[in-house]
Amino acid sequence: MNAHGTTLAVVLEKPEQLVLSRLALTDAGEADVVVDIEWTGISTGTERLLWAGRMPPFPGLGYPLVPGYESVGRIVEVGARSGRQIGERVFVPGAKCYGEIRGLFGGAAAKVVVPGSRVTTIGENLREEGCCWRSQRRPITRWPRMHPAIPI
């Protein structure tokens, strides 16, 4: 597959500083898929601690970071060995595709690049309540509708 350019993403640059940034995406390989994200979960545990600057050291976490936990989206490109098809609606458990910007879970972006083996196909009839665990502790954030005035 070829280069996919950039994506618009929420970036936690440092405690209490969130920005929208256009980030370079890692090139997708033959086993990868490119997913347009529809929504993502936000942790009021881990991400709240990161926001406040109180997160204990943990591998893969730190600043700058693209937040977002469970994500749902649609595959728009597939590698020859990804085992996936364009158009599949999938659950994405995490993405690390932003170069130097951390993304342990990294779902708060318009587009992600992930191995096809990491995504799970979900039904078209499921909405955010059925796709992602939802509670007071982990609200759902729609993407890109959460920022309708920003062109993607």
Side-chain angles (χ1 to χ4, degrees):
M1 291 180 23
N2 44 13
H4 297 283
T6 63
T7 188
L8 189 60
V10 174
V11 177
L12 183 56
E13 291 187 327
K14 61 183 181 181
E16 299 185 7
Q17 185 172 336
L18 268 180
V19 297
L20 283 175
S21 295
R22 190 154 297 276
L23 302 177
L25 282 171
T26 303
D27 290 346
E30 290 297 309
D32 295 331
V33 295
V34 179
V35 180
D36 281 349
I37 298 298
E38 296 173 11
W39 53 72
T40 185
I42 298 174
S43 170
T44 58
T46 304
E47 291 173 338
R48 184 175 187 182
L49 290 172
L50 283 161
W51 168 258
R54 294 182 292 132
M55 180 68 191
F58 188 84
L61 293 180
Y63 308 96
L65 172 85
V66 175
Y69 270 57
E70 302 90 355
S71 299
V72 172
R74 193 163 306 277
I75 295 176
V76 294
E77 291 188 46
V78 296
R81 295 187 339 235
S82 69
R84 299 293 173 178
Q85 296 178 354
I86 291 175
E88 281 183 82
R89 191 153 180 254
V90 294
F91 167 80
V92 181
K96 296 185 217 177
C97 56
Y98 312 108
E100 297 297 315
I101 307 294
R102 291 174 182 89
L104 181 62
F105 302 103
K111 182 177 6 179
V112 298
V113 177
V114 294
S117 61
R118 286 191 43 93
V119 302
T120 301
T121 303
I122 60 172
E124 290 293 331
N125 60 330
L126 293 177
R127 300 184 50 80
E128 59 264 32
E129 292 87 359
C131 296
C132 302
W133 177 56
R134 183 177 182 164
S135 72
Q136 292 288 330
R137 298 196 55 195
R138 196 169 292 191
I140 302 299
T141 302
R142 289 184 179 265
W143 184 269
R145 285 183 232 159
M146 62 189 236
H147 299 291
I150 299 171
I152 294 179

